[in-house]
Amino acid sequence: MTIRGFPLTFGSARLRLADARDAAFDYTMPIVVFAACTAIEGQLPQPWYPLFYLIKVCAVTLSLVLCRSVLSAIRPSWRFVMPAVIVGGAVFAAWVGIDKWVPYPHLGTRVGFDPFESLDRPVVAAAFVVVRLFGLCLLVPVMEELFWRAFLLRYLTSTENFESVPVGAFSWSAFWLVAVVFGMAHPEWLPAVLTACAYALLLRQTKSLFAVVVAHAVTNGALGIYILLSHDWQYW
């Protein structure tokens, strides 16, 4: 019985390992597609940006559809909406405030595309704004929170079996490492590090990925409104 049982146990372990690898792929693929497209768009002539951004949005959306198994981690919980809105609004205020009034070196620049100046037809400019806000307020919060908070925080906490770590549970070493890497992934690294800390602490308190997606969407939505009103196009 022991001899027969060993292959069964070994086979189950291999199956769990394969499932973990599949989950890791689904968590990471959308942000890899996003990062690759972002790297390319930064090298393109600015007139190509609107069309390529549309391609990027479609590519990332398709990757989320193909990797949709991990979307189940975002479970709506309406009792966390208000805390998420408060955190998201505070992060927006800190992001713009720090970037405006605290001198620090930036890690590169953004495209800073002004659709109303660069696009001749108002209807085309308006269409681009809609697509850009979709990417900013919906696509990015889902994609990034799946990777940074649902996957990487847990993976750095337990590389052997990250799925055994509940959402919202993580080591403090993972907390700080994700905050630093998240910061380095943004030109505005200083407010980005604080943003990663705020979202992770919200996740730890609520145990809800939905809460941090909402907070991220509120931050980006407020930033989008600010950009349109102030014409500070460097933020997108």
Side-chain angles (χ1 to χ4, degrees), residues 1-19 21:
M1 294 298 292
T2 303
I3 296 176
R4 291 181 180 179
F6 177 75
L8 179 60
T9 303
F10 183 69
S12 299
R14 288 197 303 176
L15 182 60
R16 289 195 298 270
L17 180 60
D19 290 343
R21 287 175 178 172

Short mmCIF file of all heavy atoms in Angstrom, two decimals, residues 1-19 21:
data_model
loop_
_atom_site.label_atom_id
_atom_site.label_comp_id
_atom_site.label_asym_id
_atom_site.label_seq_id
_atom_site.Cartn_x
_atom_site.Cartn_y
_atom_site.Cartn_z
N MET A 1 0.83 -1.20 0.00
CA MET A 1 0.00 0.00 0.00
C MET A 1 0.87 1.26 0.00
O MET A 1 0.56 2.23 -0.64
CB MET A 1 -0.92 0.00 1.22
CG MET A 1 -1.96 -1.11 1.19
SD MET A 1 -3.08 -0.97 -0.21
CE MET A 1 -3.95 0.51 0.27
N THR A 2 1.99 1.18 0.74
CA THR A 2 2.89 2.33 0.77
C THR A 2 3.51 2.58 -0.60
O THR A 2 3.59 3.70 -1.07
CB THR A 2 4.00 2.12 1.81
OG1 THR A 2 3.40 1.87 3.07
CG2 THR A 2 4.90 3.33 1.88
N ILE A 3 3.90 1.48 -1.26
CA ILE A 3 4.53 1.63 -2.58
C ILE A 3 3.53 2.18 -3.58
O ILE A 3 3.84 3.02 -4.41
CB ILE A 3 5.09 0.27 -3.06
CG1 ILE A 3 6.22 -0.18 -2.12
CG2 ILE A 3 5.61 0.35 -4.48
CD1 ILE A 3 6.77 -1.56 -2.45
N ARG A 4 2.29 1.67 -3.49
CA ARG A 4 1.28 2.18 -4.41
C ARG A 4 0.90 3.62 -4.08
O ARG A 4 0.58 4.40 -4.95
CB ARG A 4 0.04 1.29 -4.33
CG ARG A 4 0.26 -0.10 -4.91
CD ARG A 4 -1.00 -0.91 -4.82
NE ARG A 4 -0.81 -2.24 -5.38
CZ ARG A 4 -1.76 -3.18 -5.40
NH1 ARG A 4 -2.95 -2.92 -4.86
NH2 ARG A 4 -1.50 -4.36 -5.93
N GLY A 5 0.92 3.96 -2.83
CA GLY A 5 0.51 5.29 -2.43
C GLY A 5 1.51 6.36 -2.81
O GLY A 5 1.15 7.52 -3.01
N PHE A 6 2.78 6.01 -2.92
CA PHE A 6 3.80 7.02 -3.21
C PHE A 6 3.59 7.70 -4.56
O PHE A 6 3.57 8.93 -4.63
CB PHE A 6 5.20 6.40 -3.12
CG PHE A 6 6.28 7.37 -3.48
CD1 PHE A 6 6.66 8.36 -2.58
CD2 PHE A 6 6.90 7.32 -4.72
CE1 PHE A 6 7.64 9.26 -2.91
CE2 PHE A 6 7.87 8.22 -5.05
CZ PHE A 6 8.25 9.19 -4.15
N PRO A 7 3.39 6.92 -5.65
CA PRO A 7 3.16 7.60 -6.93
C PRO A 7 1.94 8.50 -6.91
O PRO A 7 1.92 9.56 -7.54
CB PRO A 7 3.00 6.43 -7.91
CG PRO A 7 3.67 5.29 -7.25
CD PRO A 7 3.44 5.48 -5.80
N LEU A 8 0.90 8.08 -6.17
CA LEU A 8 -0.30 8.90 -6.10
C LEU A 8 0.00 10.23 -5.41
O LEU A 8 -0.40 11.30 -5.88
CB LEU A 8 -1.40 8.15 -5.35
CG LEU A 8 -2.74 8.88 -5.17
CD1 LEU A 8 -3.32 9.23 -6.53
CD2 LEU A 8 -3.70 8.03 -4.36
N THR A 9 0.73 10.18 -4.31
CA THR A 9 1.10 11.40 -3.60
C THR A 9 2.02 12.26 -4.45
O THR A 9 1.86 13.48 -4.53
CB THR A 9 1.80 11.04 -2.27
OG1 THR A 9 0.93 10.23 -1.50
CG2 THR A 9 2.16 12.30 -1.49
N PHE A 10 2.98 11.62 -5.08
CA PHE A 10 3.91 12.36 -5.93
C PHE A 10 3.18 13.00 -7.11
O PHE A 10 3.42 14.15 -7.47
CB PHE A 10 5.01 11.40 -6.43
CG PHE A 10 6.05 12.07 -7.26
CD1 PHE A 10 6.94 12.96 -6.68
CD2 PHE A 10 6.15 11.82 -8.62
CE1 PHE A 10 7.92 13.58 -7.43
CE2 PHE A 10 7.12 12.44 -9.38
CZ PHE A 10 8.01 13.32 -8.78
N GLY A 11 2.22 12.23 -7.66
CA GLY A 11 1.45 12.77 -8.78
C GLY A 11 0.59 13.94 -8.36
O GLY A 11 0.46 14.93 -9.09
N SER A 12 0.02 13.88 -7.17
CA SER A 12 -0.79 15.00 -6.66
C SER A 12 0.07 16.23 -6.45
O SER A 12 -0.36 17.36 -6.74
CB SER A 12 -1.46 14.59 -5.35
OG SER A 12 -2.31 13.50 -5.54
N ALA A 13 1.30 16.03 -5.94
CA ALA A 13 2.20 17.16 -5.74
C ALA A 13 2.56 17.81 -7.07
O ALA A 13 2.61 19.04 -7.18
CB ALA A 13 3.47 16.69 -5.02
N ARG A 14 2.80 16.98 -8.07
CA ARG A 14 3.13 17.53 -9.39
C ARG A 14 1.94 18.29 -9.97
O ARG A 14 2.10 19.32 -10.63
CB ARG A 14 3.54 16.40 -10.34
CG ARG A 14 4.91 15.82 -10.05
CD ARG A 14 5.44 15.04 -11.21
NE ARG A 14 4.53 13.96 -11.60
CZ ARG A 14 4.72 13.16 -12.65
NH1 ARG A 14 5.78 13.32 -13.42
NH2 ARG A 14 3.87 12.21 -12.92
N LEU A 15 0.73 17.77 -9.72
CA LEU A 15 -0.47 18.44 -10.22
C LEU A 15 -0.64 19.80 -9.55
O LEU A 15 -0.96 20.80 -10.21
CB LEU A 15 -1.70 17.56 -9.96
CG LEU A 15 -3.04 18.11 -10.47
CD1 LEU A 15 -2.98 18.29 -11.99
CD2 LEU A 15 -4.17 17.16 -10.09
N ARG A 16 -0.39 19.86 -8.22
CA ARG A 16 -0.50 21.14 -7.52
C ARG A 16 0.54 22.13 -8.03
O ARG A 16 0.28 23.33 -8.15
CB ARG A 16 -0.34 20.93 -6.01
CG ARG A 16 -1.52 20.23 -5.35
CD ARG A 16 -1.46 20.38 -3.84
NE ARG A 16 -0.26 19.77 -3.29
CZ ARG A 16 -0.18 18.51 -2.90
NH1 ARG A 16 -1.23 17.71 -3.03
NH2 ARG A 16 0.95 18.06 -2.38
N LEU A 17 1.75 21.63 -8.31
CA LEU A 17 2.81 22.50 -8.83
C LEU A 17 2.43 23.04 -10.20
O LEU A 17 2.63 24.22 -10.50
CB LEU A 17 4.12 21.72 -8.92
CG LEU A 17 5.33 22.49 -9.45
CD1 LEU A 17 5.62 23.69 -8.55
CD2 LEU A 17 6.55 21.59 -9.55
N ALA A 18 1.85 22.19 -11.05
CA ALA A 18 1.42 22.64 -12.38
C ALA A 18 0.32 23.68 -12.26
O ALA A 18 0.31 24.68 -13.00
CB ALA A 18 0.94 21.44 -13.20
N ASP A 19 -0.62 23.46 -11.33
CA ASP A 19 -1.70 24.44 -11.12
C ASP A 19 -1.14 25.78 -10.66
O ASP A 19 -1.61 26.84 -11.09
CB ASP A 19 -2.71 23.91 -10.10
CG ASP A 19 -3.53 22.74 -10.64
OD1 ASP A 19 -3.54 22.57 -11.87
OD2 ASP A 19 -4.11 22.01 -9.83
N ARG A 21 1.84 26.97 -11.28
CA ARG A 21 2.50 27.60 -12.42
C ARG A 21 1.49 28.24 -13.36
O ARG A 21 1.71 29.33 -13.88
CB ARG A 21 3.34 26.57 -13.16
CG ARG A 21 4.61 26.15 -12.42
CD ARG A 21 5.33 25.04 -13.14
NE ARG A 21 6.57 24.68 -12.46
CZ ARG A 21 7.32 23.63 -12.80
NH1 ARG A 21 6.94 22.84 -13.78
NH2 ARG A 21 8.44 23.38 -12.13
#
